[in-house]
Amino acid sequence: MPSLRRINVDHSSTEFRFQPAIPRLNAPAPAFEAETTHGRLALEDYRGTWVILFSHPADFTPVCTTEFIEFARIAPALKERGVELLGLSIDSIYSHIAWIQAIREKFGVDIPFPVIADGNREVASLYGMIMPGESTTETSRCVFFIDPNGILRATIYYPMSLGRNMDEILRVIDGLQTSDRHKVALPANWRPGDKVIVPPPRTVEDAKSRATSGYECTDWWFCRTTLPKD
Ligand code: BEZ
């Protein structure tokens, strides 16, 4: 099988010694303004809505094409949740336009979201989207979940060889919005409607009251509950 551009990595190389900072969770997402397939856009334009900023390695590549088709498929479900999609690669605006047209012609799918043409890698550098171990030029498959206040709330990185899971992207949004709304934490493999974790008690009094709280407690520090229907 042909290799997926796996390169021999010199970890002492300049790329590895001067790694850009990766944005931190619960910190403001780095501000930018960029050329996109929908005109010039700034992160600030998304203030008041959730935004999923995602990068792909290159236009006219098969895995990226399947991902774009699937991002387009979940776009209405994301919109219902108040979430906008914003794509990015280092390809030119002309390449993006041609690829979006090809996806329409060959697969019958309209791409409804803007795609940043980040030729000078300005946004990619701000967000640490280039992983020198994979490619020193192209962006990896990164996903940044940014809340309506411009705060970075979750990040997913996938390698070039693996297309992203759209169910997980929807689950992350559902999880972030549910934990914000109800001030709860969510267990492994949580899905909307599943039981949630009640935050552990912070005082002796609170710990004692767990026994009569009505929560399902396995121990005083491990309690679950069912949320009321929205
Ligand atoms: C793809 O999207 O098919 C792809 C892109 C970069 C490296 C490997 C695969």
Side-chain angles (χ1 to χ4, degrees):
M1 205 184 127
S3 101
L4 288 172
R5 285 183 237 174
R6 193 158 261 301
I7 50 181
N8 283 330
V9 176
D10 171 8
H11 288 91
S12 66
S13 72
T14 321
E15 281 86 24
F16 279 97
R17 277 184 285 124
F18 301 106
Q19 287 282 300
I22 286 197
R24 303 291 170 156
L25 298 188
N26 269 335
F32 61 82
E33 192 186 310
E35 185 183 24
T36 84
T37 49
H38 293 195
R40 276 200 87 74
L41 287 174
L43 181 63
E44 189 57 30
D45 300 334
Y46 291 91
R47 201 43 83 103
T49 59
W50 287 82
V51 56
I52 294 178
L53 170 66
F54 70 95
S55 56
H56 68 278
D59 297 349
F60 292 100
T61 50
V63 178
C64 298
T65 303
T66 61
E67 289 188 319
F68 258 50
I69 291 169
E70 290 305 310
F71 273 120
R73 188 179 60 76
I74 66 165
L78 288 170
K79 227 181 188 67
E80 273 173 28
R81 291 158 168 82
V83 185
E84 297 293 335
L85 282 165
L86 178 56
L88 176 149
S89 82
I90 59 159
D91 296 284
S92 72
I93 204 77
Y94 302 113
S95 168
H96 285 343
I97 292 168
W99 185 40
I100 286 168
Q101 270 174 8
I103 294 175
R104 187 181 305 123
E105 282 164 22
K106 306 287 177 198
F107 297 90
V109 175
D110 274 315
I111 300 303
F113 47 82
V115 186
I116 296 173
D118 195 33
N120 58 10
R121 296 166 181 77
E122 214 172 289
V123 182
S125 303
L126 280 174
Y127 281 79
M129 291 170 172
I130 293 176
M131 310 276 168
E134 285 219 298
S135 166
T136 52
T137 51
E138 298 151 314
T139 45
S140 289
R141 303 184 196 283
C142 310
V143 190
F144 299 93
F145 299 80
I146 301 168
D147 77 12
N149 296 318
I151 302 297
L152 179 65
R153 300 291 303 280
T155 309
I156 304 177
Y157 296 107
Y158 276 53
M160 293 202 181
S161 54
L162 178 62
R164 283 161 277 206
N165 183 318
M166 300 297 144
D167 289 343
E168 177 61 1
I169 287 171
L170 283 171
R171 194 187 80 95
V172 170
I173 282 290
D174 284 336
L176 291 169
Q177 294 185 343
T178 298
S179 59
D180 280 359
R181 198 173 307 128
H182 298 282
K183 309 284 175 266
V184 291
L186 305 168
N189 297 334
W190 174 87
R191 296 245 158 220
D194 288 355
K195 293 195 171 85
V196 302
I197 305 280
V198 182
R202 309 287 298 183
T203 62
V204 171
E205 212 41 51
D206 193 10
K208 268 199 243 156
S209 71
R210 287 290 158 112
T212 53
S213 61
Y215 298 139
E216 291 171 33
C217 294
T218 308
D219 202 345
W220 61 270
W221 53 270
F222 191 109
C223 296
R224 283 183 281 208
T225 190
T226 304
L227 291 175
K229 294 239 178 314
D230 285 329

